[in-house]
Amino acid sequence: MADPYHNNIYHQGDGDSYGTYGQGGQDGYGYQTDYPPQEEDAASDVTEGHDEEDQMYEGEYQGIPHPDEVKAARRAARAKARTMADGVSDQEELAEQYEDIMEDCGHGKFQWTLFVVLGLALMADSVECFVVALVLPSAEKDMCLSHAEKGMLGLIVFLGMMFGAFIWGGLADKVGRRKCLIIVLAMNCISAFFSSFAQGYGFFLFFRLFSGIGIGGSVPIVYAYFSEFLQMDKRGEHLSWLCMFWMMGGIYASFTAWGIIPRYGWGFSMGTEFQFHSWRVFVLVCALPAIAAFLGLMFMPESPRFLLENAKHDEAWMILKQVHDTNWRAKGEPERVFTVTQIKTPKTQEDEFIEIQTATGTAFQRWVVRTLTLTKLVMKNVLSLFGPDLRLATLLMAIIWFTMAFSFYGLSVWFPDMIKHLQHEEYESKVKVFNREKVEQFHFNFSLENQVHKEGEYINDKFINIEMKSVKFEDSLFVDCYFEDIRSTDTIFENCTIRSTVFYDTDLYEEKFIDCTLENVTFLHNKKGCHLDNEEENDVLIYLVSFLGSLAVLPGNIISALFMDKIGRIKIIGGSMLISAGCTFFLFLSFSQAAIIAWQCLFCGVSVAAWNGIQVITVELYPTSKRATAFGVLNAICKFAAILGSSIFASFVGITKVIPILLSFVALVAGGVLALKLPETREKVLL
């Protein structure tokens, strides 16, 4: 038979902004539901020797309709709906035809391969959210970070992801899903490499920001990209399965941190200026999902739906044929023929403007024109989200994304902070207080920890090669003492008198002596920088909480995936958010460390279903030309809410637990109620 690809004809008139691809078929489509007859000599070896009349569909005896019959009935229903409608737009016509094509291509090997590749990209985004929190206990010692610097480091990643989601989501609708995703993954890999070697706080902060800007664009692109290879009845379920990679990213980050960071031998140093401790190895290992996704994307094609939207007919046809042939060969039916001969596709004037302008001038001028034009088109696309047809949906989705992120990320920060606070309170309750002790000519060769010494006298004593942790000397006298090779944490001298004393190779700097009188005191060869505490600074509980919180979402992921297409997106989102709001009140019942971990696992397990539903419906509410842009804008709002929520909730740690619980409850209830106002999209083709 003749190859429909070589027989295609492309026409474009002055008054028609749509191209005609190939020879017209029935009802204006070049789409054939029946495969063309093959000559007897061309019969497949697979079917040789079989009588078609003797073959029977195995489900026929059970009254189960054949999949082809279901597919034909579904197409007939959509065709009937089109004929009954007053008028069908070209966009809707293309969407219906594309859905028919994807049904004919089937769901198989191609989609599962793409599923793994895009899942790794989503996993890289999840790892980026965890990496700073997991390395901070070690990095703060390695780089001598203040409380303000630690807070900025925690927020800078989300700030970068906020801008990245907005920028790359908009560009993905104009430049391409695959191309933008490759760039953002490359940015994440490069910045992870350089940040692992950065010795100063400023450089480390910059590279984490750069990494956030890169990987922040992955989420909008991944969901838009994958959804355009899925048929309608598979879309909700498989997009929900894709969300499981975010859980896997959290498990991967916490598990590798648990296995690497405490291993202090996994590093090296070059003098005192360059230190490469184990936490830096962990930062490198966290880039592996992004590297794997980057390599996998080299073998994946661009979204054909995006190409059709941008009038790239030949490329889209070839990719759709690749999807069709890959799936049916894997299913053992290589004789199936891709029968599409005509696809209706729009051609926008903005794209022609880029082509005309970039064909003239110098390379720099062409770059400037293309950049300015892309910026203009992206901003125009963003503003179109608030047009009359999309304004209500965008407003509702923005509120739902905000309330969900505000509560989820706020509590995600608050839970571990409260655990640390309870640990600190327990630690302080065990403090040892020494009053009016007098020690003369004594050699302190053992570490001091969690002690307060009041009004003591230390005459001609030696403190050599010891650690001081959470030690405070108040109103004490030191005369002719000698301090050597001292490492301290949270150790201060307050209102003390120190005479004729030498501090040699210690980190007891003058700022640790508060309102003290220093007479004939010498500081020699002070230790530079901060120093890791090999045993105490990396509490296993930090990794355990992250691990359990990530693992707890597994049941919610499975349930939401199985029921997303059965009960609908709206009920999943609304129900999950309202149940999550109820879970927050369990925090009033018990407030021990074990109880907080249990409530965190419960909350994460319930709320993940809402996240899955929100991401699925965001993809389905917007047309192809605005899908990634809308997802990027809403994801940027999500990251802004995360910054706001984590900052507000953290400020109440140690003060009150009532306000964070009430804030999360009110936000989740408001978002859950508004979610019920959204239109259901499970039986809607992607426009």
Side-chain angles (χ1 to χ4, degrees), residues 189 192-194 196-197 252 276 279-289 291:
C189 296
F193 176 81
F194 283 109
S196 68
F197 288 93
Y252 173 82
F276 194 89
W279 69 266
R280 298 180 183 274
V281 178
F282 168 69
V283 173
L284 283 178
V285 172
C286 284
L288 291 181
I291 294 173

Side-chain angles (χ1 to χ4, degrees), residues 385-387 389-405 570 573-574 577 613-614 617-618 621-622 630 633-634 637-638 667-681:
L385 300 177
F386 301 93
D389 53 337
L390 295 174
R391 184 184 299 130
L392 180 60
T394 301
L395 181 61
L396 288 175
M397 288 305 301
I399 296 174
I400 293 168
W401 273 91
F402 183 91
T403 54
M404 187 67 204
I570 305 307
I573 299 171
M577 293 186 74
I614 289 170
I617 201 171
T618 301
L621 278 175
Y622 296 93
V633 170
L634 294 172
I637 293 173
C638 165
L668 288 168
V669 169
V673 171
L674 286 177
L676 301 176
K677 302 292 184 181
L678 290 170
E680 183 56 69
T681 57

Side-chain angles (χ1 to χ4, degrees), residues 653-675:
V653 172
I655 299 175
T656 178
K657 63 181 181 181
V658 175
I659 294 179
I661 294 173
L662 290 179
L663 284 175
S664 59
F665 175 80
V666 171
L668 288 168
V669 169
V673 171
L674 286 177

